[in-house]
Amino acid sequence: MSVQSGRELGAEARRLAEVPSGRAPWRHWGPYLSERGWGTVREDYSPDGDAWNFFPHDHARSRSYRWNEDGLAGICDDRQTLCFAFAFWNGTDPILKERLFGVTGPQGNHGEDVKEYWWFLDSTPTHSWLRWRYMYPQPEFPYSRLVSENSRRSKQEPEFELLDTGVFETDSYWEITVDYAKAGPEEIYVRLSARNHGPEPAELQVLPTLWFRNTWSWSAGIKPQLRADGTCVLAQHPELGLRRLVGEGDHDLLFCENETNTKRLWEAEPATPYPKDGINDFVIRGSATVNPALTGTKAALRYRLNVAAGGTAALRLRLSEGEADFRNFEAVMTQREAEADEFYAALTPLRASADEARVMRQGFAGLLWSKQFYHYDVRTWLKGDPGQPSPPASRQNGRNSDWRHLFNQDVISMPDPWEYPWYAAWDLAFHCITLAHLDAEFAKSQLILLCREWFMHPNGQLPAYEWSFSDVNPPVHAWAALRVFEICGGNDYDFLERIFHKLLLNFTWWVNRKDSEGNNIFEGGFLGLDNIGPFDRSSLPVSGHLEQSDGTAWMAMYCLHLWEIALRLAERDRTYEDMAIKFFEHFVLIAVTLNDKGLWDEVDGFYYDVLRRPDGSSVPLRAHSMVGLIPLYAVTTLGPDTLSRLPSFARAMGWFLAHRPEAAGVVEHMDDPNHAGYRLLAIVGPQSLRRILARVLDPAEFLSDHGVRALSRWHRQHPLQVAVDGFQAQLDYEPAESTSGLFGGNSNWRGPVWFPVNYLLIEALRRYHRFLGPEFKVECPTGSGRWLALDQVADELAARLVGLFLSGPDGRRPVFGGYERLQRDPAWQNLLLFHEYFDGDSGAGLGASHQTGWTGLVANLIADRRPLD
């Protein structure tokens, strides 16, 4: 770990240092159990691709999964062979609380949305220590009301949340905290604490549950077994070996099979009298659905906790290979928590406040808890399993049918473990930037993994996400690789070289597939920005093609980062100078074209997408949006020392600049004699930069108190209207949830603040400052009379983003919006949610609530204040 260099390694850092050598498999067990397995593409075998309705929440307790498992506060091994999680019952709910509930995309008025309150409070990178918290109502959970009210509401109304139901108003709820501490790589202690916040004594049934992922129903594999051994559960698996779950105190042992209840779901002949929901039916209704022989593939220890008002009850369990021994339980718990404190103390800047340290640590924890086992073999999914009903014929030419090579069976960082329990290419790049501060090897392995032959398409495309692997995400992988290389010490050239060669394939795919006319103007479709335009950019409603400022700028940025990687490698191996020359020239050609072929509007001083019509005419889409800011990202500097070390590259660059005078517009030489020989490589030169930043830093346009909006607030009074061939569309400023159904209506780029694009803008400003220096100042905010250097502007934007999560002078956190329990209740107000995006006016959190994938960059913004040793 770079943060520990020059000092004695702490215990967690020592464990991480062992990982590459394989001396201790501390990452074998972790929180790799998904938050949601139902409603995913992997489990969808419908003829019409309706994943939400083919495998709904109501089926999840009764139907065995084909590709993964889910649970509450769950852990499993890194192949998800054996799973452990908790189930709860408050005595009033119609079902056990075994998984988190939410509305589906069709049910929600703004798309899918989880309707529960839980938090990932802590984790070390090896998961030697974990903490999870959940608020469980004591009254009956309002499942049907949440569905009906969200289905009733229009897109102009807010989502209906669990707090809105009033179920917490009398404080009758359980605050449940689960801690995990590893005594060794294969020995895990588990502690559950349940606090009764209600005014009366209450009973909570707690069911720590152990089960095998069902692999035997889909193949000829050996079926493993769980069985009782006294008061504990023994798990025997041919590959994993023996594991023992032991719990202190009085409890019952309940066993069933992880097999589908075919009778309940389809009135078919049951395969077993003790199906997957057997424990649920026994606890809720007293049904004879648990195996009296005390064997099966799913088992639970059933505890009944009677807790006084305001009181707390605790359970202690142990999952390990050996015999039960609780003598060192509390000592191990205390030690692992102290080691986590030590690890994060080394990451926390000295001048960070206690609140900033809390934000950083919970942001890191959420990212680590979002590591999930992901299993998807597209060929098998398309063809079907032996002995199972064949998938519909339409599947052979439907979703992901051109990704038959893809075979995923890995622990991967997910964007959000409930709303997005699948990886996404550009999300993952941002995850790795933050993960690099925590676990260098994991961050690097994740970037390489996406480029491996069982992920990357043979044509070089990276898989986007499971709903459509062929969709196109921004090409930020090279940027992420370079940043991870730097964060991790800047010395792992084997990693850099390995990923460089893989990315050459992906770059070639972009050039061949997304430059339709071969003129260095790129398309790409929605490029992760969903509904940022007046219509779906991936499926144009009119004839012609869309020349994209963001698509072209992303490619210029891609060139720059591949160029920078080639320069790093060339200092060790001169053969890479040729690649550096190639990417330098390609960057210049793209950047010049972007500025000269109509995407830059000289009158407006802004970049726009342009619709090219079949007759050769063009229609600029004059949206003041993030699309026009992305050209700022393609910027870097080149110093004389690098040129002196790489003379072949220096000569080639000099020749190119001398023979292509138009390149002077994107390769600028430093005039200051104190910086002689320095060059700025940028799409946007200093004068255009001033014009764009005047909009970016204008509170009436892009600048929010909480960061930079994805769409200018100017469009509130001046909506963009497009009329072509009888087709009409309109783009309005929408600071919160989307009011259109574009891209499912579950995310919105028409006004909210998004972390990844803000983070890249902050980085770009710092690179501009490196060249332009403190003398180059802009007004910030526009119209304020306050002039700042670009590094100060970057600091200002970073502070606004971090401030989303901080308690202000009034004691309120913008992220919590108008929810008074979150703002004021001492039991809730320090439990942070890391949302997908944020209201462009108020800063309230929106979209997925546990998007600690890229919103976890807030931890990076805080940690970046600490200079690396």
Side-chain angles (χ1 to χ4, degrees):
M1 289 288 294
S2 59
V3 298
Q4 301 275 357
S5 61
R7 68 189 77 163
E8 183 179 353
L9 291 177
E12 177 65 12
R14 288 196 298 272
R15 284 190 283 270
L16 285 170
E18 292 178 356
V19 169
S21 63
R23 292 197 300 272
W26 280 93
R27 294 189 293 192
H28 183 211
W29 291 84
Y32 312 140
L33 190 67
S34 292
E35 301 284 295
R36 176 174 64 84
W38 59 275
T40 60
V41 165
R42 284 157 288 162
E43 301 297 336
D44 178 19
Y45 284 76
S46 69
D48 55 1
D50 187 356
W52 287 115
N53 287 318
F54 181 78
F55 201 136
H57 176 270
D58 184 57
H59 283 202
R61 68 182 183 275
S62 305
R63 186 167 162 184
S64 59
Y65 294 115
R66 168 62 177 91
W67 297 100
N68 63 185
E69 297 287 343
D70 57 18
L72 296 175
I75 62 170
C76 64
D77 62 281
D78 60 10
R79 284 296 175 266
Q80 204 172 88
T81 306
L82 185 63
C83 306
F84 173 84
F86 284 90
F88 308 108
W89 192 45
N90 56 13
T92 60
D93 282 356
I95 60 174
L96 287 181
K97 180 64 70 174
E98 294 182 273
R99 57 188 50 81
L100 297 162
F101 173 74
V103 295
T104 70
Q107 289 169 343
N109 59 325
H110 295 287
E112 68 266 25
D113 187 49
V114 67
K115 302 299 181 184
E116 305 260 18
Y117 295 102
W118 82 105
W119 296 266
F120 305 128
L121 293 183
D122 213 1
S123 178
T124 54
T126 65
H127 313 298
S128 59
W129 168 256
L130 292 160
R131 174 165 287 166
W132 177 92
R133 185 163 296 165
Y134 175 56
M135 302 304 194
Y136 182 33
Q138 292 174 5
E140 182 176 337
F141 194 91
Y143 290 105
S144 60
R145 187 179 174 206
L146 286 166
V147 172
S148 62
E149 180 62 20
N150 277 286
S151 299
R152 182 195 66 79
R153 292 192 175 192
S154 71
K155 292 190 180 297
Q156 282 67 42
E157 297 173 276
E159 294 172 343
F160 185 65
E161 305 293 0
L162 184 57
L163 277 173
D164 297 324
T165 67
V167 75
F168 290 102
E169 283 184 4
T170 63
D171 287 331
S172 296
Y173 67 92
W174 296 98
E175 177 185 317
I176 301 169
T177 304
V178 177
D179 297 329
Y180 291 95
K182 293 181 184 177
E186 302 294 327
E187 185 173 355
I188 303 168
Y189 291 149
V190 190
R191 178 175 61 203
L192 177 140
S193 301
R195 180 183 175 190
N196 176 9
H197 276 270
E200 303 290 340
E203 180 183 90
L204 175 68
Q205 293 198 28
V206 179
L207 295 95
T209 305
L210 192 69
W211 73 100
F212 287 109
R213 179 166 63 90
N214 189 327
T215 56
W216 56 90
S217 293
W218 326 108
S219 66
I222 298 173
K223 184 176 180 178
Q225 186 185 60
L226 302 173
R227 62 180 176 86
D229 181 16
T231 61
C232 74
V233 176
L234 287 182
Q236 183 69 47
H237 189 273
E239 296 176 2
L240 193 62
L242 183 70
R243 291 295 185 279
R244 186 186 305 266
L245 176 63
V246 183
E248 287 188 319
D250 295 334
H251 58 268
D252 305 320
L253 293 183
L254 307 176
F255 286 80
C256 65
E257 300 290 345
N258 186 12
E259 301 271 11
T260 297
N261 186 342
T262 54
K263 181 172 178 56
R264 173 184 177 255
L265 296 177
W266 304 300
E267 284 296 327
E269 187 68 26
T272 171
Y274 316 115
K276 178 180 176 179
D277 53 10
I279 295 173
N280 174 90
D281 292 354
F282 175 81
V283 172
I284 302 296
R285 297 193 296 274
S287 303
T289 50
V290 294
N291 191 345
L294 301 182
T295 63
T297 48
K298 178 181 178 182
L301 284 62
R302 181 193 191 188
Y303 289 88
R304 295 179 174 89
L305 305 180
N306 290 286
V307 187
T312 301
L315 298 177
R316 304 199 308 178
L317 304 108
R318 182 174 182 264
L319 179 63
S320 65
E321 297 172 300
E323 296 293 328
D325 184 355
F326 287 88
R327 288 177 297 177
N328 297 323
F329 186 96
E330 293 302 329
V332 170
M333 282 281 176
T334 300
Q335 181 180 351
R336 293 295 178 260
E337 186 173 11
E339 291 167 357
D341 292 342
E342 174 189 53
F343 178 80
Y344 284 110
L347 282 172
T348 306
L350 293 176
R351 65 179 183 273
S353 68
D355 206 19
E356 288 173 322
R358 178 185 297 111
V359 171
M360 187 192 80
R361 187 160 174 174
Q362 288 187 30
F364 280 141
L367 192 60
L368 293 169
W369 270 90
S370 297
K371 293 160 61 175
Q372 309 283 286
F373 172 78
Y374 185 86
H375 189 199
Y376 190 14
D377 172 5
V378 173
R379 182 179 294 275
T380 299
W381 181 78
L382 290 169
K383 189 171 78 170
D385 294 291
Q388 299 292 319
S390 298
S394 59
R395 173 175 297 246
Q396 299 306 312
N397 298 305
R399 176 180 289 144
N400 296 331
S401 59
D402 52 347
W403 287 79
R404 295 172 188 270
H405 73 286
L406 189 139
F407 182 91
N408 298 164
Q409 194 175 15
D410 303 273
V411 172
I412 308 176
S413 181
M414 303 293 161
D416 174 287
W418 192 93
E419 293 210 26
Y420 304 109
W422 28 260
Y423 64 89
W426 83 302
D427 299 59
L428 186 65
F430 292 101
H431 304 183
C432 291
I433 301 300
T434 304
L435 285 166
H437 287 277
L438 302 168
D439 188 343
E441 293 304 314
F442 184 72
K444 289 183 282 191
S445 70
Q446 289 286 283
L447 290 173
I448 289 174
L449 183 65
L450 210 64
C451 296
R452 296 302 301 268
E453 53 273 20
W454 54 89
F455 279 74
M456 179 185 280
H457 197 281
N459 65 21
Q461 185 179 9
L462 296 180
Y465 50 90
E466 69 172 25
W467 287 89
S468 176
F469 286 124
S470 292
D471 264 346
V472 183
N473 281 178
V476 291
H477 228 65
W479 165 78
L482 192 58
R483 294 297 169 262
V484 167
F485 172 80
E486 293 166 348
I487 292 168
C488 297
N491 52 22
D492 190 350
Y493 287 92
D494 290 342
F495 158 73
L496 206 58
E497 186 170 26
R498 186 178 181 189
I499 202 163
F500 179 75
H501 286 282
K502 289 291 188 178
L503 291 178
L504 292 179
L505 301 175
N506 179 244
F507 182 85
T508 301
W509 175 84
W510 269 91
V511 171
N512 289 339
R513 299 296 181 94
K514 294 301 174 181
D515 179 7
S516 63
E517 296 188 351
N519 61 358
N520 292 309
I521 294 289
F522 289 83
E523 298 98 56
F526 83 114
L527 284 174
L529 307 186
D530 292 13
N531 64 347
I532 200 166
F535 44 72
D536 183 346
R537 299 194 300 166
S538 294
S539 182
L540 297 185
V542 296
S543 58
H545 68 274
L546 195 65
E547 296 183 344
Q548 296 183 218
S549 288
D550 56 336
T552 307
W554 285 123
M555 280 303 289
M557 176 181 163
Y558 200 177
C559 284
L560 276 185
H561 289 112
L562 288 173
W563 170 70
E564 289 189 72
I565 292 173
L567 288 178
R568 298 287 186 109
L569 295 174
E571 295 192 16
R572 291 163 51 92
D573 182 346
R574 289 295 180 83
T575 59
Y576 283 98
E577 284 188 85
D578 290 341
M579 297 306 298
I581 294 166
K582 178 259 189 296
F583 285 112
F584 170 79
E585 294 182 354
H586 209 138
F587 161 75
V588 171
L589 294 173
I590 293 174
V592 168
T593 302
L594 181 61
N595 286 326
D596 292 350
K597 299 300 181 182
L599 300 182
W600 167 256
D601 189 300
E602 181 60 30
V603 175
D604 289 359
F606 207 72
Y607 290 94
Y608 300 123
D609 284 351
V610 173
L611 178 64
R612 297 293 181 189
R613 308 286 283 129
D615 62 4
S617 62
S618 63
V619 180
L621 303 180
R622 300 182 185 279
H624 299 176
S625 76
M626 189 59 66
V627 166
L629 304 187
I630 288 171
L632 295 173
Y633 302 165
V635 56
T636 194
T637 58
L638 177 64
D641 290 345
T642 300
L643 293 173
S644 66
R645 290 192 299 269
L646 301 173
S648 294
F649 170 77
R651 285 193 299 272
M653 185 185 74
W655 183 93
F656 186 82
L657 294 177
H659 289 80
R660 299 296 294 266
E662 67 273 20
V666 296
V667 181
E668 188 156 334
H669 192 275
M670 173 63 77
D671 294 328
D672 187 341
N674 295 323
H675 299 85
Y678 276 87
R679 288 174 171 82
L680 176 73
L681 283 71
I683 292 175
V684 183
Q687 296 310 310
S688 297
L689 175 65
R690 285 191 185 278
R691 299 183 69 186
I692 293 174
L693 289 182
R695 290 186 187 275
V696 172
L697 303 177
D698 186 346
E701 288 221 33
F702 285 97
L703 186 62
S704 162
D705 290 341
H706 314 289
V708 175
R709 304 176 175 103
L711 185 75
S712 169
R713 194 161 68 170
W714 183 82
H715 285 296
R716 173 172 281 166
Q717 284 76 41
H718 307 88
L720 172 65
Q721 296 177 330
V722 177
V724 180
D725 291 345
F727 172 82
Q728 293 187 338
Q730 182 164 305
L731 179 68
D732 301 274
Y733 173 71
E734 300 175 5
E737 291 96 344
S738 173
T739 61
S740 83
L742 211 59
F743 285 90
N746 65 335
S747 69
N748 182 26
W749 286 82
R750 297 182 172 187
V753 171
W754 291 77
F755 257 78
V757 287
N758 270 259
Y759 188 85
L760 288 171
L761 178 60
I762 289 168
E763 263 205 358
L765 291 173
R766 297 198 190 285
R767 288 196 295 273
Y768 274 111
H769 177 80
R770 196 164 63 204
F771 181 81
L772 297 171
E775 297 80 18
F776 187 95
K777 295 186 177 183
V778 295
E779 196 176 19
C780 180
T782 300
S784 67
R786 178 175 176 245
W787 294 83
L788 300 179
L790 295 182
D791 62 338
Q792 294 173 312
V793 175
D795 291 342
E796 173 80 13
L797 296 180
R800 292 183 184 222
L801 293 169
V802 173
L804 281 162
F805 302 95
L806 298 179
S807 180
D810 58 356
R812 302 178 71 86
R813 302 180 191 275
V815 62
F816 289 156
Y819 285 100
E820 291 304 311
R821 183 171 291 276
L822 298 175
Q823 296 285 13
R824 299 299 186 190
D825 191 323
W828 296 63
Q829 63 185 182
N830 289 328
L831 306 177
L832 301 172
L833 294 170
F834 297 86
H835 288 265
E836 187 178 5
Y837 51 100
F838 302 85
D839 189 300
D841 293 337
S842 71
L846 302 167
S849 57
H850 290 70
Q851 183 89 4
T852 34
W854 60 25
T855 302
L857 286 164
V858 66
N860 226 35
L861 290 172
I862 296 170
D864 280 345
R865 300 179 192 170
R866 172 192 46 75
L868 296 178
D869 295 329

